[in-house]
């Protein structure tokens, strides 16, 4: 089947470029923070296989890493990007509200 002469040929698909986050997505967050938090969590969870009583600490660490990241961003990006810092503070405050309300519902 032939195409009419007025139609454009389909363009080649874009090359498969690996994802790299935009600078604004990682502003203020050090590149080592989440990998370090992840590997500490893996080590703690592995230790809980031998000492199950430590499981609550391992799970708590997994929950604390994003909070530490938000606090890091709130403090370190304050002079560069106040909107980002305020968003990080609001995120941490939202988690605080969730825990507060959860405590009231018990």
């Amino acid at each position: 089947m032939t195409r009419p002469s007025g139609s454009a040929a389909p363009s080649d698909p874009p090359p498969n470029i690996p994802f790299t986050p935009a600078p604004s997505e990682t502003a203020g967050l050090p590149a080592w923070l989440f990998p370090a938090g992840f590997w500490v969590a893996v080590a703690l969870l592995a230790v809980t296989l031998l000492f199950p009583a430590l499981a609550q600490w391992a799970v708590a660490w997994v929950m604390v890493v994003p909070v530490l990241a938000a606090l890091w961003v709130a403090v370190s990006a304050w002079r560069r990007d106040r909107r980002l810092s305020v968003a990080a503070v609001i995120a941490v405050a939202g988690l605080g509200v969730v825990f507060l309300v959860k405590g009231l519902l018990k």
Side-chain angles (χ1 to χ4, degrees):
M1 185 160 148
T2 62
R3 256 187 268 173
S5 60
S7 67
S11 62
D12 292 333
N16 190 8
I17 300 171
F19 174 75
T20 53
S24 63
E25 292 178 10
T26 58
L29 190 62
W32 57 265
L33 186 65
F34 274 117
F38 169 79
W39 287 112
V40 168
V42 167
L44 287 172
L45 290 170
V47 167
T48 63
L49 294 174
L50 299 174
F51 304 102
L54 297 176
Q56 66 184 0
W57 294 103
V59 171
W61 176 256
V62 171
M63 293 187 300
V64 164
V65 170
V67 173
L68 289 175
L71 292 174
W72 183 289
V73 168
V75 171
S76 68
W78 184 254
R79 292 184 187 215
R80 278 190 327 244
D81 190 353
R82 291 248 166 99
R83 292 182 306 161
L84 181 65
S85 290
V86 169
V89 168
I90 290 171
V92 172
L95 285 173
V97 168
V98 167
F99 278 101
L100 219 143
V101 170
K102 179 184 169 194
L104 294 174
L105 294 177
K106 282 187 175 182

